Amino acid sequence: MDAGFQLKSLLQLQLASDSSSVAHLPYILNTLNEDCFAPNPHLAKWSARINSLLHSKDAGARWTGLCIAHKSSLTSKTFMLESAAVWLPVVIPMLSRPEPTPMLKAGIRLLITVFTTATEMSEFQRQISLPNVTKFTNALASLAGAHADVELKELCLDTLARLIPIYPNAHRATFGHLSGLALSFLNGSYPRPTSTPLLEAAARLYSILHLTGGKVGAANLWRKALDDNLAFGWEALNSVRTTFPTESRNVVQVPEGTDPSIHIPLNVDRIRCCSVIIRDLLHTMITRPVQIPAGQLIKYALALISASTEGQVDGFVDPTTRAMELSVVPALWKYGCEIISTLADSIPQYLEPNLPRIYTVLAYRLEQPLTQHQRVHVLAAIQKLLQTSRFVDAPILPNRITRAVLPSLVVILSSSATNVEAHTDEASGKSKKGKKKAKNYAGDEVFKVSRDVICPTDVDSEVLLLALDVVRHCIQNPNLSSSQLSLASRVLLSIQLSLSQLSPSILSPNPQVFPQIQKKVNAICTEIASSSSVSLQKTLPLIARECVKIGDTELHASLDLLIHPRLPPIVRPIPTTQSLSLFRVEESEEEASARSQLGLDFEEGADEQNAVADQDAVMQDGFVSATPAPAQQEPPKELPRQPFLPSAPVVSQPSVPAAVTPLPWQPKEAVVIQSTTVTSTTTRTTTSAPAPASDDSQDEDEEMPTIDLGSDSEDEED
């Protein structure tokens, strides 16, 4: 087929008139490909037809010409280089006229493609790009400042942020104008906060304006922008803390007559803008090394996180102002955590001297009662710090963080669900007096329509995932106490056993959350099992069973290294301080106290109550026959969520263990330990509860008497 056949057919049919071009635009755009722009005699006619559409009086035809020109530029760079000199004088003036918004967007996309595609061709840059790029920049700045459409403003700011790094010297004269344009969107907004896409686009533009200063002046402009932004953030923070003690900060005098319902939300939005600007300035490109005021940034972030709701200045306090300032304190925590995450991601090496103070503030904030939306930001900051920097060598901080994070994990266990149900009953005001005992029947869970979802929202799922990451890093810390390590290991092992018997829809409505949580839990449990020989012998069978179920190849490789190590074992004594206690009888008093604080305490009569519940679940029909019916196998039913391993297994009858054969995944030492444990348990049970000897056993020891068949008792009586 001829290379220009497609262009010829499009010119004769779809592009025959302006109205036909508008109607068939989708088909034209789908038909154009690289083969259409191979050397052929129809390219000149194609270029002339695009120019005629651009000069058309019909707005729809001009929009069609812009779209076809943009598609042709993306498809063929050679065609774009040949036609750019004709397109630019027509398209750039369109941006200064009151054209429809779709036409303005199409013109911006075409021009940014022309100015950013042929950057390696110096002659094209000298003759075409440099004389026209400043005109394009001025048109974009006018549109961003005057047009009412928010999406068009965002497109203009993004386009400017892409042009300035490519043509920094050409925009040196427009630095002040562009800086004022960006700051106009970063000064906060009321009554609605600044749109997030618009805020991020303006921050990206503001963070690259320093490149217009050249190689020498760019560093000074960057540092000045960061200092000005910090001063702007401190002023906004002080404006929302006027009713609180000074807290070693400058006191801001609010002008009289200022409505607190206006200036407080406005300053909170300014703090939000400040955090976004700090993030973009620390991630922008620089030409030379710069000095980063890490101490000032950390001080500002900790001031936001440390904002308290307690304390009040002396004298008269406006109750409206006080209430408004109290309501915005959680927002200050959020933006402070975002700045800490930004610092940990961009300059983690500069946080080393201040890590103890940062961890202390975050741990204290995490220990306070928080909502899930507030907790997720604190956990994200701690997770980012643990991921990018080392943990400080302090014996208190890892225990505080682990103790504060574990309540976010126990929601999966059954005890938490029971507490939630009890709390729901109390909130509904139902009285237990006169309430009939609810009976459970076999298969009743099939007809249960409403089920409590553990993570009903995406925020709950994110909290759970972040908590698992934080616990994983804390367990790897050698300063973690043995009681906290054992308790965390037991919680994670219980979660692993519960997940295998839990439906993904009960965990979260999002089907992707369950495999993510299960993968993280299995990975952490595998690491715990490999940390010591005692933990390995106790937990490896359970972990291996759960990992084989889900079929994770990475975990299979880790288990293979545990079962078949490539190196000889380390010769060391049994680490009793790190032994994993699976049951209540093995835990210490400190661990039991920590477990009860988590709401994982069990009553002594829990087993008896479970037995009564099981009896209620059995359905027997006594009217069918007088004789007991033969035992029938009950249908399989969904198992409840695993409890937190409340008690150890009880040996009912004394017995001597037979020769134990090691399983393929079990070392011989583990078999010896298991045999010794069973023997000691048997001896302990026999000694504590000896059974009295029966008469039947004494008769069996005596000799059986002989019977004389010839004797007759009646003769003897005579």
Side-chain angles (χ1 to χ4, degrees):
M1 182 182 295
D2 187 9
F5 177 77
Q6 290 289 350
L7 292 182
K8 180 180 178 180
S9 61
L10 291 175
L11 290 170
Q12 293 179 351
L13 299 176
Q14 283 78 16
L15 295 176
S17 63
D18 292 350
S19 59
S20 176
S21 302
V22 177
H24 297 90
L25 179 61
Y27 175 78
I28 297 172
L29 297 179
N30 291 330
T31 305
L32 292 178
N33 52 37
E34 296 180 357
D35 297 335
C36 296
F37 295 93
N40 63 84
H42 302 285
L43 287 177
K45 299 179 182 179
W46 184 260
S47 178
R49 183 56 180 144
I50 293 177
N51 293 333
S52 65
L53 289 173
L54 293 177
H55 288 85
S56 177
K57 295 182 179 180
D58 184 23
R62 295 197 299 271
W63 174 71
T64 302
L66 292 172
C67 295
I68 296 176
H70 181 245
K71 179 65 175 181
S72 302
S73 301
L74 295 176
T75 307
S76 176
K77 182 178 179 181
T78 304
F79 181 78
M80 185 271 296
L81 295 176
E82 296 175 354
S83 305
V86 181
W87 293 343
L88 293 181
V90 179
V91 179
I92 291 179
M94 287 185 183
L95 304 181
S96 302
R97 296 196 297 262
E99 299 285 355
T101 302
M103 186 180 300
L104 296 175
K105 292 181 179 179
I108 293 173
R109 294 189 182 98
L110 173 60
L111 292 175
I112 191 62
T113 303
V114 172
F115 287 120
T116 59
T117 301
T119 55
E120 74 281 358
M121 303 181 65
S122 59
E123 192 64 21
F124 181 83
Q125 295 287 311
R126 185 180 65 85
Q127 296 183 6
I128 305 298
S129 297
L130 291 177
N132 295 283
V133 68
T134 54
K135 301 177 183 178
F136 182 40
T137 300
N138 294 330
L140 289 175
S142 300
L143 281 176
H147 207 277
D149 189 76
V150 178
E151 294 183 356
L152 182 61
K153 292 175 180 286
E154 178 189 350
L155 179 60
C156 293
L157 295 176
D158 281 332
T159 305
L160 289 172
R162 292 178 59 186
L163 282 175
I164 291 176
I166 301 175
Y167 306 96
N169 295 328
H171 295 89
R172 182 173 298 182
T174 60
F175 171 79
H177 178 57
L178 295 178
S179 178
L181 174 65
L183 290 177
S184 64
F185 297 102
L186 300 173
N187 196 29
S189 176
Y190 179 83
R192 293 183 178 180
T194 308
S195 174
T196 300
L198 187 61
L199 171 61
E200 294 180 352
R204 283 193 296 269
L205 174 60
Y206 184 74
S207 63
I208 54 93
L209 288 178
H210 65 277
L211 297 176
T212 59
K215 294 183 178 180
V216 178
N220 297 329
L221 290 178
W222 182 89
R223 179 59 187 269
K224 183 178 182 301
L226 186 58
D227 291 341
D228 293 344
N229 183 59
L230 271 177
F232 176 73
W234 277 112
E235 182 180 359
L237 174 60
N238 296 333
S239 299
V240 298
R241 304 288 292 175
T242 57
T243 62
F244 294 90
T246 56
E247 302 172 357
S248 65
R249 54 180 170 79
N250 297 328
V251 180
V252 176
Q253 297 294 336
V254 180
E256 296 183 1
T258 304
D259 190 358
S261 62
I262 296 178
H263 83 272
I264 291 180
L266 178 63
N267 284 282
V268 171
D269 194 45
R270 289 174 176 175
I271 296 174
R272 170 172 168 247
C273 297
C274 179
S275 65
V276 177
I277 294 174
I278 291 175
R279 181 197 65 190
D280 289 340
L281 283 175
L282 292 178
H283 287 88
T284 188
M285 60 181 73
I286 55 175
T287 56
R288 291 189 177 184
V290 294
Q291 293 182 354
I292 302 176
Q296 296 296 326
L297 293 172
I298 295 173
K299 181 180 179 181
Y300 178 67
L302 293 182
L304 291 173
I305 302 175
S306 303
S308 174
T309 58
E310 301 177 355
Q312 184 175 335
V313 296
D314 298 334
F316 173 76
V317 173
D318 184 22
T320 305
T321 304
R322 178 68 177 180
M324 291 292 297
E325 292 185 356
L326 286 174
S327 64
V328 301
V329 170
L332 304 182
W333 301 342
K334 172 185 175 181
Y335 301 135
C337 292
E338 290 179 355
I339 295 177
I340 289 294
S341 301
T342 299
L343 297 177
D345 192 24
S346 57
I347 51 171
Q349 66 275 12
Y350 295 103
L351 300 181
E352 296 291 338
N354 300 277
L355 278 179
R357 188 157 56 109
I358 297 174
Y359 278 123
T360 302
V361 174
L362 291 175
Y364 171 77
R365 185 56 60 205
L366 197 60
E367 291 170 350
Q368 305 305 312
L370 301 174
T371 62
Q372 292 292 80
H373 290 80
Q374 300 168 3
R375 182 178 293 271
V376 67
H377 300 291
V378 182
L379 288 175
I382 296 177
Q383 188 264 348
K384 183 62 69 174
L385 283 172
L386 294 174
Q387 184 178 1
T388 57
S389 60
R390 66 176 182 86
F391 210 108
V392 294
D393 188 13
I396 300 178
L397 288 177
N399 294 293
R400 289 185 63 182
I401 294 177
T402 305
R403 191 181 305 111
V405 172
L406 284 180
S408 300
L409 298 178
V410 298
V411 295
I412 301 180
L413 304 179
S414 60
S415 60
S416 298
T418 304
N419 295 335
V420 171
E421 184 178 358
H423 177 71
T424 305
D425 292 340
E426 293 177 2
S428 60
K430 295 180 180 179
S431 176
K432 295 183 178 180
K433 295 182 179 180
K435 186 178 180 180
K436 295 183 179 179
K437 180 180 179 181
K439 294 185 178 181
N440 301 324
Y441 297 97
D444 201 14
E445 68 279 353
V446 178
F447 303 99
K448 186 178 181 181
V449 179
S450 61
R451 296 185 179 181
D452 297 333
V453 181
I454 300 176
C455 300
T457 63
D458 294 337
V459 176
D460 297 329
S461 304
E462 189 176 358
V463 167
L464 192 55
L465 291 171
L466 291 173
L468 289 173
D469 291 336
V470 172
V471 169
R472 181 175 187 175
H473 287 92
C474 291
I475 287 177
Q476 298 173 355
N477 192 311
N479 295 317
L480 188 65
S481 63
S482 59
S483 61
Q484 287 293 333
L485 175 60
S486 178
L487 181 60
S489 303
R490 295 169 64 191
V491 170
L492 291 169
L493 185 58
S494 300
I495 292 175
Q496 187 188 35
L497 298 177
S498 300
L499 289 176
S500 62
Q501 302 174 0
L502 194 66
S503 174
S505 60
I506 297 180
L507 181 63
S508 174
N510 187 359
Q512 299 179 356
V513 173
F514 184 85
Q516 293 176 1
I517 293 178
Q518 191 174 39
K519 184 177 181 179
K520 286 181 179 292
V521 170
N522 290 334
I524 299 174
C525 291
T526 305
E527 292 181 4
I528 294 174
S530 61
S531 61
S532 66
S533 59
V534 176
S535 300
L536 179 64
Q537 293 171 2
K538 289 187 176 183
T539 63
L540 183 59
L542 300 174
I543 297 173
R545 184 188 67 179
E546 302 301 327
C547 294
V548 169
K549 286 182 180 179
I550 63 174
D552 193 347
T553 56
E554 297 180 2
L555 293 177
H556 287 178
S558 302
L559 289 175
D560 182 65
L561 291 176
L562 291 177
I563 301 172
H564 307 289
R566 305 297 188 266
L567 297 175
I570 302 176
V571 180
R572 59 184 178 182
I574 296 178
T576 56
T577 58
Q578 297 182 2
S579 61
L580 177 63
S581 57
L582 292 179
F583 306 102
R584 281 195 303 172
V585 295
E586 302 175 2
E587 64 184 2
S588 61
E589 295 181 359
E590 182 180 0
E591 186 177 353
S593 176
R595 176 175 55 81
S596 61
Q597 292 178 0
L598 290 177
L600 297 174
D601 198 5
F602 296 89
E603 300 178 357
E604 297 296 334
D607 298 335
E608 298 178 1
Q609 295 176 2
N610 294 336
V612 173
D614 294 340
Q615 292 178 3
D616 293 340
V618 177
M619 300 175 62
Q620 296 181 358
D621 190 356
F623 299 97
V624 177
S625 174
T627 58
Q632 297 181 358
Q633 185 177 2
E634 296 183 0
K637 60 182 180 180
E638 182 181 357
L639 296 176
R641 280 180 273 176
Q642 286 285 345
F644 188 66
L645 302 177
S647 58
V650 181
V651 180
S652 58
Q653 295 182 358
S655 60
V656 179
V660 182
T661 304
L663 296 176
W665 43 262
Q666 195 172 23
K668 295 182 179 180
E669 293 80 357
V671 177
V672 174
I673 291 178
Q674 291 177 0
S675 302
T676 308
T677 306
V678 175
T679 305
S680 60
T681 308
T682 304
T683 307
R684 184 167 58 252
T685 306
T686 306
T687 306
S688 60
S694 59
D695 297 336
D696 297 338
S697 60
Q698 296 179 359
D699 295 339
E700 291 178 359
D701 296 338
E702 296 178 1
E703 185 178 359
M704 180 68 67
T706 57
I707 301 175
D708 188 5
L709 299 177
S711 61
D712 190 358
S713 58
E714 295 180 355
D715 296 339
E716 291 178 359
E717 293 176 357
D718 296 334

mmCIF file of all heavy atoms in Angstrom, residues 150 154 157-158 194-204 272:
data_model
loop_
_atom_site.group_PDB
_atom_site.id
_atom_site.type_symbol
_atom_site.label_atom_id
_atom_site.label_comp_id
_atom_site.label_asym_id
_atom_site.label_seq_id
_atom_site.Cartn_x
_atom_site.Cartn_y
_atom_site.Cartn_z
ATOM 1 N N VAL A 150 -10.097 26.330 37.143
ATOM 2 C CA VAL A 150 -9.017 25.849 38.004
ATOM 3 C C VAL A 150 -8.116 24.872 37.257
ATOM 4 O O VAL A 150 -6.883 24.894 37.419
ATOM 5 C CB VAL A 150 -9.616 25.190 39.270
ATOM 6 C CG1 VAL A 150 -8.513 24.632 40.156
ATOM 7 C CG2 VAL A 150 -10.456 26.191 40.043
ATOM 8 N N GLU A 154 -4.056 25.146 36.692
ATOM 9 C CA GLU A 154 -3.105 24.079 37.015
ATOM 10 C C GLU A 154 -2.252 23.714 35.800
ATOM 11 O O GLU A 154 -1.025 23.512 35.915
ATOM 12 C CB GLU A 154 -3.871 22.858 37.510
ATOM 13 C CG GLU A 154 -2.992 21.672 37.829
ATOM 14 C CD GLU A 154 -3.796 20.422 38.115
ATOM 15 O OE1 GLU A 154 -5.035 20.538 38.241
ATOM 16 O OE2 GLU A 154 -3.200 19.336 38.197
ATOM 17 N N LEU A 157 0.430 26.467 35.241
ATOM 18 C CA LEU A 157 1.518 26.409 36.218
ATOM 19 C C LEU A 157 2.430 25.209 35.960
ATOM 20 O O LEU A 157 3.661 25.318 36.075
ATOM 21 C CB LEU A 157 0.939 26.359 37.631
ATOM 22 C CG LEU A 157 0.155 27.598 38.086
ATOM 23 C CD1 LEU A 157 -0.445 27.365 39.449
ATOM 24 C CD2 LEU A 157 1.053 28.829 38.101
ATOM 25 N N ASP A 158 1.844 24.053 35.630
ATOM 26 C CA ASP A 158 2.668 22.885 35.308
ATOM 27 C C ASP A 158 3.514 23.124 34.059
ATOM 28 O O ASP A 158 4.678 22.697 33.988
ATOM 29 C CB ASP A 158 1.771 21.655 35.107
ATOM 30 C CG ASP A 158 1.326 21.052 36.425
ATOM 31 O OD1 ASP A 158 2.060 21.204 37.414
ATOM 32 O OD2 ASP A 158 0.239 20.454 36.461
ATOM 33 N N THR A 194 -7.040 25.839 49.668
ATOM 34 C CA THR A 194 -6.514 25.836 48.308
ATOM 35 C C THR A 194 -6.634 24.447 47.709
ATOM 36 O O THR A 194 -6.350 23.438 48.372
ATOM 37 C CB THR A 194 -5.049 26.278 48.313
ATOM 38 O OG1 THR A 194 -4.937 27.521 49.014
ATOM 39 C CG2 THR A 194 -4.528 26.452 46.900
ATOM 40 N N SER A 195 -7.067 24.395 46.467
ATOM 41 C CA SER A 195 -7.191 23.105 45.785
ATOM 42 C C SER A 195 -5.852 22.376 45.779
ATOM 43 O O SER A 195 -4.802 22.978 45.497
ATOM 44 C CB SER A 195 -7.682 23.327 44.349
ATOM 45 O OG SER A 195 -7.677 22.125 43.621
ATOM 46 N N THR A 196 -5.870 21.084 46.094
ATOM 47 C CA THR A 196 -4.624 20.325 46.204
ATOM 48 C C THR A 196 -3.849 20.282 44.894
ATOM 49 O O THR A 196 -2.630 20.523 44.892
ATOM 50 C CB THR A 196 -4.934 18.905 46.702
ATOM 51 O OG1 THR A 196 -5.570 18.983 47.983
ATOM 52 C CG2 THR A 196 -3.658 18.094 46.832
ATOM 53 N N PRO A 197 -4.454 19.990 43.737
ATOM 54 C CA PRO A 197 -3.669 20.035 42.491
ATOM 55 C C PRO A 197 -3.102 21.413 42.196
ATOM 56 O O PRO A 197 -1.954 21.540 41.740
ATOM 57 C CB PRO A 197 -4.682 19.597 41.424
ATOM 58 C CG PRO A 197 -5.726 18.838 42.152
ATOM 59 C CD PRO A 197 -5.826 19.499 43.482
ATOM 60 N N LEU A 198 -3.881 22.457 42.456
ATOM 61 C CA LEU A 198 -3.396 23.814 42.219
ATOM 62 C C LEU A 198 -2.271 24.171 43.180
ATOM 63 O O LEU A 198 -1.275 24.817 42.789
ATOM 64 C CB LEU A 198 -4.550 24.801 42.354
ATOM 65 C CG LEU A 198 -4.273 26.258 41.982
ATOM 66 C CD1 LEU A 198 -3.864 26.362 40.523
ATOM 67 C CD2 LEU A 198 -5.495 27.120 42.260
ATOM 68 N N LEU A 199 -2.393 23.743 44.435
ATOM 69 C CA LEU A 199 -1.349 24.003 45.421
ATOM 70 C C LEU A 199 -0.045 23.307 45.045
ATOM 71 O O LEU A 199 1.047 23.904 45.108
ATOM 72 C CB LEU A 199 -1.826 23.541 46.801
ATOM 73 C CG LEU A 199 -0.794 23.532 47.931
ATOM 74 C CD1 LEU A 199 -0.259 24.925 48.186
ATOM 75 C CD2 LEU A 199 -1.403 22.943 49.201
ATOM 76 N N GLU A 200 -0.120 22.054 44.638
ATOM 77 C CA GLU A 200 1.090 21.323 44.272
ATOM 78 C C GLU A 200 1.727 21.885 43.000
ATOM 79 O O GLU A 200 2.961 21.946 42.886
ATOM 80 C CB GLU A 200 0.759 19.842 44.092
ATOM 81 C CG GLU A 200 0.342 19.162 45.392
ATOM 82 C CD GLU A 200 0.031 17.699 45.184
ATOM 83 O OE1 GLU A 200 -0.014 17.269 44.000
ATOM 84 O OE2 GLU A 200 -0.163 16.990 46.185
ATOM 85 N N ALA A 201 0.901 22.331 42.045
ATOM 86 C CA ALA A 201 1.455 22.919 40.821
ATOM 87 C C ALA A 201 2.162 24.239 41.128
ATOM 88 O O ALA A 201 3.260 24.503 40.610
ATOM 89 C CB ALA A 201 0.343 23.128 39.797
ATOM 90 N N ALA A 202 1.562 25.078 41.973
ATOM 91 C CA ALA A 202 2.206 26.339 42.338
ATOM 92 C C ALA A 202 3.480 26.108 43.137
ATOM 93 O O ALA A 202 4.477 26.830 42.959
ATOM 94 C CB ALA A 202 1.222 27.199 43.137
ATOM 95 N N ALA A 203 3.489 25.112 44.016
ATOM 96 C CA ALA A 203 4.702 24.813 44.785
ATOM 97 C C ALA A 203 5.818 24.293 43.882
ATOM 98 O O ALA A 203 7.000 24.617 44.089
ATOM 99 C CB ALA A 203 4.375 23.793 45.873
ATOM 100 N N ARG A 204 5.477 23.497 42.880
ATOM 101 C CA ARG A 204 6.504 23.034 41.937
ATOM 102 C C ARG A 204 7.100 24.204 41.156
ATOM 103 O O ARG A 204 8.316 24.251 40.923
ATOM 104 C CB ARG A 204 5.899 22.007 40.975
ATOM 105 C CG ARG A 204 5.701 20.636 41.568
ATOM 106 C CD ARG A 204 5.400 19.606 40.489
ATOM 107 N NE ARG A 204 4.141 19.886 39.806
ATOM 108 C CZ ARG A 204 2.972 19.401 40.179
ATOM 109 N NH1 ARG A 204 2.892 18.618 41.238
ATOM 110 N NH2 ARG A 204 1.866 19.685 39.501
ATOM 111 N N ARG A 272 -0.303 24.584 55.794
ATOM 112 C CA ARG A 272 -0.348 23.502 54.803
ATOM 113 C C ARG A 272 0.482 23.860 53.573
ATOM 114 O O ARG A 272 1.244 23.024 53.060
ATOM 115 C CB ARG A 272 -1.801 23.250 54.427
ATOM 116 C CG ARG A 272 -2.014 22.336 53.238
ATOM 117 C CD ARG A 272 -3.494 22.020 53.084
ATOM 118 N NE ARG A 272 -3.773 21.391 51.801
ATOM 119 C CZ ARG A 272 -4.477 21.943 50.832
ATOM 120 N NH1 ARG A 272 -4.978 23.157 51.000
ATOM 121 N NH2 ARG A 272 -4.696 21.317 49.706
#
